[in-house]
Amino acid sequence: MCSSGSTAALCGQTCPPGLRHRSSPRRPNLAAQCTANRFEPAHRHSSSVTITESKMKEVIGFIGVGSIGGPMASRLLDAGHDVVGYDTRADALDALQQKGLKVASSPREVADAAQIVLVSLPTPDVVRQVASGPDGIVEGRAVRIYVDLSTTGPKTAEEIAKRLAEHDITAVDAPVTGGVAGAALGKLTLMAAGPAGAIARVSPVLATLGQVEVVGDKAGMGQSLKLINNALSATHMAITAEAMVLGVKAGLDPEIILNVLNKGSGRNTSTEERFPKFVLTRTFDNGFANALMRKDLKLYMEMAENFQVPLWVATAVDRLWMQTVVEIGPNENTTTIVKTIEKWAGVEVRGKSARPV
């Protein structure tokens, strides 16, 4: 654990500027060694051992290096951070390991190595397991701040924050929007919520990933805004799918439809980006799965029910996404929602540059 006032470090593991290691009844001083890009906990050293502070940026833990987590972890490595990572899929770690990622064998091992641990995971259940389950972050000896970049909903964020607080770990929820492309370019928007001091501590790290917007002072508030964002995204994608299929069946050229819509009041992210790039080309490789969109809609509806807010439009949108998961597939990307409407209408929304059938 660290506090202000010294730059002392143990066994080469440096503290951030202005912080020093100190002993704790619950969290003994921890040293860590990295061998062949593999993180290995080291034995404890005498408190008399002092090593000069390194110029390297501090160690960051990162758990979940999938389609969005992978590019985020890559940017942290590119920025000079020493990153210790974990994922259940070895193939997801391979490319990052070549860039210098140190691979841990469990979430706890990540939390043994880093004061700040970021997670980017697919579902609330997975997040709970990683954060507070056996061999989870909660058992780590070095971690001080946990940052959830996932979309888990406010209820899960509040539960995890309470559980971690019992172990002197501060939770910040900072779900992201901007997609795979935004993650790769460092142009995500992060909706950060939590104690002001913790947000200030992690903001320089998060700024590597994109624009940090502080939206509240309690864990869960960022999740609430993220669900609102994703409900709007799901809605304009669904209505754009219906409109484009209708236009094509009426004899209109889909490229002309989008060109005109994007000059008028009907434009949205789907008409401007997703349909030109992924639907007209028939690649459908926008990098976000149907099952995850449906999960986010269900969390949004759960939140609305808790606050007793009626959702006439979102309920209809959710039905279409549920049908898309069933008919097109849970692991297909979200732009395939247009295929659900196409099957019913008997037409395809296909551009001139679309790949051959």
Side-chain angles (χ1 to χ4, degrees):
M1 184 164 69
C2 294
S3 63
S4 61
S6 173
T7 57
L10 293 179
C11 198
Q13 181 171 337
T14 60
C15 278
L19 300 179
R20 63 183 171 86
H21 284 276
R22 69 184 181 196
S23 61
S24 165
R26 191 183 65 79
R27 295 176 188 278
N29 286 323
L30 176 72
Q33 297 174 336
C34 292
T35 305
N37 286 355
R38 190 92 193 171
F39 171 77
E40 297 176 359
H43 60 280
R44 294 178 62 186
H45 285 244
S46 165
S47 59
S48 64
V49 177
T50 303
I51 295 178
T52 303
E53 182 180 10
S54 166
K55 294 183 179 180
M56 287 288 290
K57 295 186 179 180
E58 71 175 305
V59 176
I60 302 297
F62 206 107
I63 300 173
V65 293
S67 59
I68 291 184
M72 287 193 282
S74 180
R75 287 195 61 82
L76 292 172
L77 288 165
D78 290 341
H81 289 287
D82 191 2
V83 181
V84 178
Y86 173 76
D87 198 291
T88 56
R89 300 161 303 150
D91 61 311
L93 294 162
D94 288 344
L96 292 170
Q97 194 170 4
Q98 292 176 14
K99 294 185 71 171
L101 179 82
K102 279 71 176 180
V103 179
S105 62
S106 69
R108 176 180 180 171
E109 207 168 76
V110 173
D112 279 342
Q115 293 184 357
I116 298 173
V117 176
L118 282 59
V119 305
S120 178
L121 299 164
T123 68
D125 287 343
V126 173
V127 171
R128 288 190 190 96
Q129 183 70 18
V130 165
S132 57
D135 223 18
I137 292 169
V138 71
E139 297 180 1
R141 289 175 287 176
V143 60
R144 308 307 306 140
I145 302 178
Y146 157 90
V147 182
D148 187 5
L149 306 168
S150 322
T151 305
T152 59
K155 181 180 178 181
T156 298
E158 291 165 7
E159 289 173 357
I160 291 175
K162 182 178 180 180
R163 175 82 171 94
L164 295 180
E166 295 170 356
H167 295 261
D168 301 324
I169 302 168
T170 301
V172 172
D173 65 310
V176 303
T177 185
V180 176
L185 296 172
K187 293 185 177 180
L188 295 170
T189 299
L190 298 93
M191 295 163 251
I199 292 177
R201 173 80 168 81
V202 301
S203 284
V205 175
L206 299 183
T208 304
L209 311 178
Q211 180 67 40
V212 180
E213 299 287 350
V214 180
V215 304
D217 59 0
K218 296 185 297 184
M221 298 178 76
Q223 293 293 334
S224 295
L225 184 50
K226 176 61 186 298
L227 294 182
I228 291 168
N229 176 86
N230 279 23
L232 289 170
S233 177
T235 300
H236 67 61
M237 198 178 301
I239 194 64
T240 300
E242 288 186 348
M244 291 299 294
V245 171
L246 176 60
V248 169
K249 190 146 191 180
L252 294 168
D253 184 312
E255 294 179 355
I256 293 175
I257 295 173
L258 290 175
N259 182 55
V260 174
L261 290 177
N262 288 331
K263 294 177 180 177
S265 59
R267 70 184 181 276
N268 57 63
T269 304
S270 289
T271 63
E272 291 179 328
E273 297 180 11
R274 296 191 179 105
F275 272 67
K277 291 181 181 179
F278 308 115
V279 176
L280 294 192
T281 60
R282 308 302 287 184
T283 59
F284 303 107
D285 55 351
N286 57 296
F288 191 60
N290 290 325
L292 294 179
M293 182 65 89
R294 177 83 205 292
K295 177 263 295 182
D296 292 351
L297 279 169
K298 289 167 69 177
L299 290 171
Y300 175 77
M301 296 174 74
E302 177 183 293
M303 182 176 79
E305 183 173 348
N306 289 339
F307 286 106
Q308 293 295 288
V309 175
L311 297 178
W312 299 105
V313 175
T315 299
V317 171
D318 177 64
R319 297 300 89 184
L320 181 55
W321 280 103
M322 180 181 71
Q323 193 67 26
T324 299
V325 168
V326 171
E327 287 195 18
I328 309 303
N331 297 320
E332 297 296 319
N333 286 313
T334 51
T335 44
T336 60
I337 191 172
V338 73
K339 292 184 177 182
T340 305
I341 312 297
E342 289 174 340
K343 288 173 67 176
W344 296 337
V347 296
E348 277 191 350
V349 179
R350 175 178 291 273
K352 297 180 180 66
S353 60
R355 63 185 183 186
V357 179

